Amino acid sequence: MPRLHHIGITVSDTATATAFYRTATDGEVIGPLVKSGPAVEAATGYPGVEILLTFIRLADGVFLELAEYRGADTPRIDPDNGHTGAAHPAIVVTDIEASLARLAALGHHPLSPTMTATAGPLEGYRYVYVLGPDDVHVELLQEPH
């Protein structure tokens, strides 16, 4: 049966991104691992690249993969949710207010008040977006009680 193994996020600074996503998820940090060589170059299309990979394992076994490309010209994109092709992680947390407080201590604040979904597969969920490292929009969700 198909399932999600991981979502990859390209980051500019591994330490900053790891601190943010570890705080947001309370997940287990694995890495960083350094990857380079012909296979990595072939897979990525970046000759001479070295990639610093850090994985954060969430409670359900899905991973966030943080990839910092080094030694390659990697232009920055605008990950705004309104742009075609943009993606965002949506992380289910136990206590959305406590999560927001921990992220605020790192300098990351919600983009709006916390809201409650009224229809669809998220009906009853509380949700809010936080602007994470590299301007990635990260959605925090709290399940209905």
Side-chain angles (χ1 to χ4, degrees), residues 47-128:
V49 74
E50 176 181 273
I51 303 176
L52 198 58
L53 290 177
T54 301
F55 295 88
I56 300 177
R57 184 189 344 248
L58 307 183
D60 63 358
V62 173
F63 291 89
L64 291 178
E65 176 193 67
L66 308 176
E68 180 182 340
Y69 283 59
R70 295 177 168 178
D73 181 24
T74 53
R76 182 181 173 90
I77 65 163
D78 182 351
D80 184 271
N81 280 358
H83 294 177
T84 301
H88 70 275
I91 301 166
V92 178
V93 298
T94 304
D95 181 339
I96 203 164
E97 299 308 327
S99 294
L100 288 172
R102 289 191 304 274
L103 291 173
L106 295 177
H108 298 275
H109 302 281
L111 298 176
S112 71
T114 301
M115 296 174 264
T116 301
T118 59
L122 295 179
E123 184 173 355
Y125 277 78
R126 296 181 68 215
Y127 69 96
V128 67

